[in-house]
Amino acid sequence: MVKTKRVQSVSFFHTRLTSIVSIALVLFLLGLVLLIGLLGNRLSVYVKENISFSIVLKDQVKEKEVNALRSQLDAFPFIKSTEYISKEQAAKELEEELGENPETFLGFNPLSASIEVRLRAEYANPDSLRQVEERIKAYASVSDLLYRKDMMELVHENMGRLTLILLGLAVILMGISFVLIGNTIRLLIYSKRFLIYTMKLVGATSGFIRRPFIGYNLVSGLVASVLAIGLLTGLLYYLQGEMRGLIQFLDLRALLVVYAIVIVLGVCLSVLATIVAVNKYLRMEFGKLYYV
């Protein structure tokens, strides 16, 4: 008798351990998708805010007018930063690139003074850029506006595609995770199906019957979430050595948000799957319990 109980206890432990590991692996995949999405968003912001465009100024513009223009530009909500580049500085930069000063063979400086502008990420898209271009060209001291329109559009389109792909992947993984977690929990509850029926016969309410199963699998969901977070942390620690510059885009606050989502998903999916599994046996007739 004691030996039988011991075997049942070991079997039950292995079943629960398998359940927790299965849930943890699913949550790890969900957390990984969240991290990839977060990293992609941070990279998009970084790229958009570091693609600058040049406001070419007219030759007769005075320093006082340039300072006034910069002050007005800095006050706009869509502009992150501005930098004034004089004709002399532009010529020096060109000399560093070409290895020769253009004034030596032209006899004059052909370059114009300009203001390098960086936009905030939320405004660095084709629609907003057209409006920004119209507003800046309206200034009398502005001669032209130069920027890589094709690069801006390419970044915007690629981020749109990446967002849709990650969203679709997250939805698919959510569906798969619910099915896997549901099947895992259903196997745990399967051995208790006659107990559920007996409790129902003696007058126990559905909520009373579900309560211990929900509490049990809530704990399993929490443990699986912690295990998944440990796997994600280990992966990030490994990638930090391999891709140091890339991982720096993820700050502690962002990681804590991802970890919190993993915990919430682990608890919610486990509880929801438990309710569905227990309800199945609550509605089942006694004769069918032998054939499931």
Side-chain angles (χ1 to χ4, degrees), residues 170-187:
V171 171
I172 292 171
L173 279 176
M174 282 285 289
I176 294 173
S177 63
F178 181 76
V179 172
L180 288 176
I181 292 173
N183 288 337
T184 303
I185 291 175
R186 193 176 294 116
L187 289 173

Side-chain angles (χ1 to χ4, degrees), residues 86-272:
S86 63
K87 296 181 64 170
E88 293 74 18
Q89 185 180 348
K92 186 177 180 181
E93 290 178 358
L94 186 61
E95 182 181 1
E96 290 177 356
E97 291 180 8
L98 300 179
E100 188 175 359
N101 193 320
E103 291 188 53
T104 57
F105 55 87
L106 291 177
F108 66 96
N109 187 352
L111 303 175
S112 300
S114 64
I115 298 177
E116 293 292 315
V117 175
R118 285 183 171 85
L119 295 176
R120 297 192 184 277
E122 56 268 28
Y123 295 96
N125 57 73
D127 294 334
S128 297
L129 276 171
R130 281 191 289 270
Q131 298 179 20
V132 170
E133 186 176 358
E134 291 175 2
R135 294 187 67 173
I136 292 178
K137 281 187 173 181
Y139 288 98
S141 55
V142 176
S143 172
D144 199 2
L145 190 67
L146 305 175
Y147 65 95
R148 292 289 306 275
K149 185 177 179 181
D150 55 342
M151 184 178 292
M152 291 281 194
E153 291 178 348
L154 183 63
V155 171
H156 183 70
E157 290 174 2
N158 287 340
M159 281 310 304
R161 293 193 191 99
L162 180 62
T163 301
L164 287 175
I165 291 171
L166 289 176
L167 185 61
L169 187 60
V171 171
I172 292 171
L173 279 176
M174 282 285 289
I176 294 173
S177 63
F178 181 76
V179 172
L180 288 176
I181 292 173
N183 288 337
T184 303
I185 291 175
R186 193 176 294 116
L187 289 173
L188 286 173
I189 298 175
Y190 174 78
S191 60
K192 306 291 184 182
R193 65 192 187 282
F194 290 108
L195 176 62
I196 292 173
Y197 185 79
T198 302
M199 292 173 70
K200 189 170 68 171
L201 285 179
V202 298
T205 62
S206 298
F208 181 83
I209 296 172
R210 280 193 293 261
R211 196 174 300 125
F213 292 102
I214 290 174
Y216 174 85
N217 287 301
L218 188 147
V219 173
S220 295
L222 279 173
V223 174
S225 300
V226 172
L227 183 58
I229 288 173
L231 291 173
L232 288 171
T233 305
L235 177 64
L236 289 174
Y237 182 78
Y238 169 75
L239 291 177
Q240 187 176 7
E242 301 294 325
M243 308 166 66
R244 186 177 298 275
L246 194 63
I247 298 301
Q248 287 177 352
F249 285 102
L250 298 174
D251 54 28
L252 180 61
R253 184 179 178 183
L255 288 177
L256 290 177
V257 170
V258 172
Y259 290 166
I261 293 173
V262 169
I263 292 174
V264 170
L265 285 175
V267 171
C268 290
L269 288 174
S270 297
V271 169
L272 186 60

